Each structure stands twice: as C-alpha cells, then as structure tokens.
Amino acid sequence: MSDTPFGFGLPPEEPENGDEGKKKDPAGGGQGSGGQSGNPFGANPFGFGGLPGMGGLGGPGGQGGADNPFAAMFGSLNPNDLGAAFQQLGQMLSYEGGPVNWDMAKQIARQVVAQGTADGTKDASVGPAERSAVEEAVRLADLWLDGVTSLPSGASTAVAWSRAEWVEATLPAWQQLVDPVAERVGTAMGDVLPEEMQAMAGPLIGMMRSMGGAMFGQQIGQAVGALAGEVVGSTDVGLPLGPAGRAALLPLNVEAFGKDLGVPSDEVRLYLALREAAHQRLFAHVPWLRAHLFGAVEGYARGIKVDTSKLEEAVGQLDPTHPEQLQEALQQGMFQPEDTPAQKAALARLETALALVEGWVDAVVHEAAKSRLTSADALRETLRRRRASGGPAEQTFATLIGLELRPRRLRDAARLWASLTDARGVDGRDGLWEHPDMLPTATDLDDPDGFVHREHLDFSEIDKMLGEAAKGDAPEDGDGKE
C-alpha cells in the first residue's frame, strides 16, 4: 500500500529561481499576508504561490514552486496568463461530472508528456520507418505464437504509438479502474454532514465534490503522464488498457528499455511484440477475462473505506476561501482497505488472476522465443524482475487506487503452465481458459503437480448436456402439448 493513498501529494518542485521572493519579511510576508493563520499557502486560497504582479497572493516576486498544488496544470505564469488561469480555476470549481475530472486528467497527462522524461527524452511523432518496424515485429510474433498456443491471433491491427497517443488510447480503461474508488470518496464527502444540514450546505458539498474531482484528475493526470514515458505497450500492467484487438508498442520507450541491455534493438522489439501479441490473444479469445480482472479491481475498490472521523474533522474546519485544506486532509491518509474476509478474498482473486495471465504469457513467449532469439533468457529475466519488483506500472496503481497490481507469484504460475504443457499438451493447457472455475487457484500454485495431474470437469460438455436437457423439457408444439 502506498504511503500516500490515492496519490494526493503535491507535484514536484519547480526550479528555485524565486527563492528570494519566498523569504519571509519581518511583517510576515513572503508566504502571503495570511502566513500566520496556519495555512501553508498563506492568504492564497488556491496555493498559487507568488504569481508575478500578485504580491497579495503569494508575496512579492514569489514563484510558487512546491507551494503550488496545481503547478502541473498552470505551470509558470506571467501576467498575460492570469485570465486563462482563473478561467481554468472557474471550470474546475464548476465541474459537475463524475467523481474524477477526466478532462483535467487528460490535459495534465498531455502536459507531463510534453515536458519529457527525466533523461531529457522528449515525445515525438512516430515515423513511417518505426511504424513499419512495429507492424513487422507483431506480424512475425503472431507467426511464432501460432506454433505454441491454440489461441488464434487477437490483434486485428498493429500500431506504433507516441506517448501522447498512449495517453489518449488508455484513458477509458483508467476511468473504469479509478472511478469506483473516487466514487466512494465523493459519496463520503456528502455523507459526513448531518442530514438536516446537508440541504443548507448544498453549495459547500458541491464545491467539495468539485475539488475532489479536480484533485483526483490532477493526480491521475500526473501519474498517467509519467507512466506514458516508461511503458512499452498497452498491456504492461497485465490488463488490456488499449482498444480491443490493437497490439501496440511505443518505439521511443522500447528503445529506452533496451538501451543498456546489450541486446540488438530488433531482438528487443520482437520479444516485446511477442508479449504484446500473446496478451492480445488471451484477452481476445477468453471473453470473460477482461470483465473478471476489472471486476476484481472494482470488488477490491468496494472494500475501500473512508475514515469518516478524519473527513468530518476536515469538513467541520473547512473554510470555503481555503479549499486547499481539503487536499491537506486527504493527503494525511483517510482511505484504507477493510480488513474483512471479503476484502482479502477480492485481493487474493485479483493477485491470482494477474499471476495466471502473466505466467501464461511468460511461458508461451519463452516457448516461442527460446530457439529463435539468442537473448530470450536475458530478456525474460529482465522483464520478470521489472514486473515482480513493483515497476512504474504497479507503483502507479498503488498511488491511484491504493492497490499494487503486482503478480507476486509470476514464477510459480509460469512453472505451472509449463508443466501443464508437458502433461496435457498445448490444447489441454489452453483449454483451461474456457471457464474461470477451471483455472488454477492460489492453493494450486502451491501444489502445481497435484493440479497438473488432477482430473478436471469439461464445462463445455456440461453446457451441452444442460442445453440438451432444456430441449427435452420444452413443449413439442405451440399449445404446450406433448
């Protein structure tokens, strides 16, 4: 679990080119005339720091820096930007949509992408040569996979995305994953006031929900934008984040991934294409799998509880002119998973499902690549460590929804799928995906040999028998007479 549940932390500091303007003067300035009120943002109700020409809001000449919780959205402003800044602020406070301001999330994610990654790499449009290389890699990957799995190709198209295109394509999936948690927060905000006060406090509750949606939007935008600089495809987190049937790689990030591995770039690209294409086969031809995984995330989210005592205290002390106090309360951590059997079961289901998906992909890709790519073993181990050690994708989920989507038993699941291949063949192994009740459980991962040699029910035959029984019970004519 993240130390800052749901990621309500402040954005990174901006360059310290306004330190002199942030020093306190003897009269209590610098942080604003309200600096003695206990508000860390001074008299500035939205924490914009010291905007040029606005000494009363943040002190003379101050630049805001780390004092600015919306720095990612507004950036460094000059007097000509103020109109646009306050227009955005008005839009934020008047937001009346769902629990997350997704328009804001998208805008901030695009801005984070435009800033480039820490190594100075800037996003760029994908050129024809890169696009052709990705298409060829996915085509070859699908050809190799045909010999090691009974599931047919699941990629109707192969695409090469820029980082900005990845943001655009994956936001709908992020919305499905994050909204359940954000909805619980929004509901809790309205429920903490006594019922007889809620009617009178309508405008305040509305403002709180707008601010909550804005804060979620801000943090999600930051996280998704940062993640766009590191993922190599659309399935890095083990979930289908992109549109169905579209195998995607990000050439810029694929190049960065293979930079220090000492492996030829075409082998890196092809190995990652194998993983992407294998995920696509699974999600395309196991129709219940997507709903099963997303449902497990939502089931876990339903068990998230809000510490209403902290929220009540925050609401009771909330000054409408200082809405940043709500962010401070949220940042202190009032969201926790319930320690109930149902919540533990939801987490176990999710972790097992992720391990089975990633383990199957790992086993199938290794089988396809081991005799064709000299670097197959090295690439496999690199990706296993990246996936199991809590890489950027897992950390992002931990920040956004308080949940680490980490396949903790990836190696156990991969060994089990490999043993199933030896014992039952490719068709017998892949046939287990026909129904969720046929899949191994967490207990089976502890005893893979026992599972491999156990007899399993054929659900397709059961469905056939039930269908025939239903036909036998049906009337033979329209009058209901036999």
Side-chain angles (χ1 to χ4, degrees):
M1 190 72 89
S2 172
D3 291 336
T4 56
F6 309 104
F8 285 109
L10 300 180
E13 294 188 8
E14 296 175 351
E16 298 179 356
N17 57 357
D19 290 344
E20 290 300 317
K22 289 201 274 186
K23 292 180 179 179
K24 292 185 179 180
D25 58 37
Q31 291 282 348
S33 59
Q36 299 176 356
S37 66
N39 171 13
F41 303 111
N44 174 0
F46 301 104
F48 288 120
L51 300 179
M54 297 181 66
L57 284 180
Q63 295 298 313
D67 293 340
N68 179 0
F70 298 106
M73 179 170 62
F74 293 111
S76 299
L77 300 180
N78 57 53
N80 294 330
D81 295 325
L82 295 182
F86 283 108
Q87 182 180 10
Q88 280 189 303
L89 180 60
Q91 292 172 350
M92 179 182 69
L93 292 176
S94 63
Y95 172 71
E96 296 180 351
V100 177
N101 189 330
W102 286 102
D103 289 337
M104 178 182 292
K106 178 178 175 180
Q107 177 185 354
I108 292 177
R110 294 293 298 263
Q111 290 177 356
V112 171
V113 165
Q115 293 170 5
T117 51
D119 62 1
T121 305
K122 298 286 187 179
D123 193 23
S125 299
V126 178
E130 293 171 317
R131 198 175 307 278
S132 177
V134 168
E135 291 172 353
E136 176 61 21
V138 172
R139 186 198 64 78
L140 185 56
D142 258 338
L143 185 64
W144 289 3
L145 290 171
D146 283 339
V148 295
T149 174
S150 61
L151 299 180
S153 174
S156 57
T157 57
V159 295
W161 282 339
S162 67
R163 293 166 178 172
E165 288 171 327
W166 182 90
V167 169
E168 295 277 354
T170 62
L171 273 180
W174 289 109
Q175 183 171 355
Q176 185 177 352
L177 288 165
V178 176
D179 270 351
V181 175
E183 183 65 42
R184 292 188 64 82
V185 176
T187 300
M189 286 181 174
D191 290 344
V192 294
L193 292 178
E195 186 175 348
E196 62 274 11
M197 293 181 60
Q198 290 188 15
M200 294 183 292
L204 175 59
I205 294 175
M207 184 190 73
M208 290 168 58
R209 286 179 174 166
S210 294
M211 292 295 295
M215 286 184 289
F216 263 111
Q218 179 203 7
Q219 295 304 119
I220 291 168
Q222 284 273 5
V224 172
L227 188 58
E230 299 170 341
V231 294
V232 296
S234 70
T235 55
D236 283 39
V237 298
L239 297 174
L241 295 180
R246 192 170 299 177
L249 292 179
L250 284 71
L252 189 62
N253 294 354
V254 170
E255 180 183 356
F257 172 82
K259 184 177 180 181
D260 299 320
L261 297 181
V263 176
S265 60
D266 57 340
E267 287 199 21
V268 173
R269 184 190 307 109
L270 184 50
Y271 194 87
L272 295 176
L274 280 166
R275 288 184 53 82
E276 179 74 9
H279 277 102
Q280 293 296 333
R281 289 185 181 225
L282 203 54
F283 291 124
H285 299 292
V286 182
W288 53 265
L289 183 57
R290 177 186 175 93
H292 181 74
L293 289 170
F294 279 71
V297 175
E298 292 171 7
Y300 183 85
R302 284 194 296 271
I304 293 288
K305 64 180 180 180
V306 178
D307 187 336
T308 54
S309 62
K310 288 186 178 180
L311 190 54
E312 287 174 0
E313 182 179 357
V315 172
Q317 298 177 357
L318 183 62
D319 182 344
T321 63
H322 292 159
E324 80 282 348
Q325 293 173 1
L326 180 59
Q327 176 162 349
E328 293 171 21
L330 295 172
Q331 187 178 349
Q332 291 173 4
M334 59 180 66
F335 313 108
Q336 301 174 1
E338 289 187 296
D339 188 20
T340 63
Q343 183 73 340
K344 291 178 180 178
L347 181 59
R349 282 195 302 272
L350 179 59
E351 290 183 340
T352 301
L354 285 171
L356 291 175
V357 168
E358 293 298 279
W360 184 88
V361 169
D362 180 272
V364 166
V365 168
H366 181 67
E367 187 66 24
K370 65 181 182 181
S371 62
R372 296 181 172 99
L373 297 179
T374 58
S375 57
D377 289 337
L379 289 169
R380 183 190 201 189
E381 187 60 28
T382 298
L383 283 161
R384 278 182 166 188
R385 291 180 179 178
R386 183 176 191 251
R387 193 71 178 91
S389 63
E394 293 77 16
Q395 292 168 7
T396 297
F397 270 97
T399 300
L400 294 180
I401 58 178
L403 174 64
E404 293 179 346
L405 288 181
R406 191 180 305 172
R408 301 177 188 277
R409 307 195 65 179
L410 166 61
R411 294 175 187 270
D412 293 337
R415 281 194 294 268
L416 187 148
W417 287 119
S419 297
L420 281 168
T421 306
D422 294 338
R424 304 186 187 184
V426 169
D427 291 341
R429 178 200 65 199
D430 294 346
L432 294 178
W433 290 105
E434 291 180 4
H435 195 281
D437 290 343
M438 297 176 67
L439 288 177
T441 64
T443 302
D444 293 324
L445 293 178
D446 296 328
D447 181 22
D449 290 336
F451 179 85
V452 167
H453 299 291
R454 187 186 313 155
E455 292 295 328
H456 289 275
L457 291 174
D458 187 337
F459 279 80
S460 63
E461 289 299 319
I462 293 177
D463 290 341
K464 182 179 178 181
M465 292 168 58
L466 291 174
E468 291 175 351
K471 289 180 181 179
D473 293 338
E476 293 186 359
D477 57 46
D479 296 332
K481 298 177 183 179
E482 296 185 359

